[in-house]
Amino acid sequence: MGDRWQVGVDRSVCIGSAQCVHLAPDAFRLDAGMQSHPVEQETDANEKILEAAEGCPVEAVMISLLGSGEPVFPPEE
């Protein structure tokens, strides 16, 4: 069985660039305030979601392993 992820967007950081929506349109949406949110907060590990997180110009997209909370993105420094 593959990894499961917890996906979130820090709305205090999100600038509404919509890069996540363009890179993973099935996983992210913009709301009326032009801020991103994940379609599903819990999901199977997915390369497109990771690409979307990496493509966010302000690193507002956060991914962690479901259960352990270990960060997937952004990586711990």
Side-chain angles (χ1 to χ4, degrees):
M1 186 170 201
D3 288 339
R4 297 270 302 159
W5 287 349
Q6 175 88 28
V7 180
V9 174
D10 185 339
R11 296 171 65 79
S12 70
V13 175
C14 179
I15 60 171
S17 73
Q19 287 301 306
C20 59
V21 175
H22 293 296
L23 293 167
D26 293 335
F28 295 93
R29 298 281 184 266
L30 292 183
D31 62 18
M34 295 304 292
Q35 288 199 306
S36 177
H37 62 90
V39 172
E40 298 289 335
Q41 290 184 347
E42 297 179 4
T43 186
D44 291 330
N46 178 304
E47 189 64 33
K48 287 291 186 185
I49 294 173
L50 182 57
E51 271 182 45
E54 293 171 340
C56 178
V58 294
E59 290 190 352
V61 179
M62 302 160 294
I63 304 169
S64 60
L65 289 177
L66 194 59
S68 73
E70 180 182 339
V72 174
F73 190 87
E76 287 184 322
E77 294 181 29

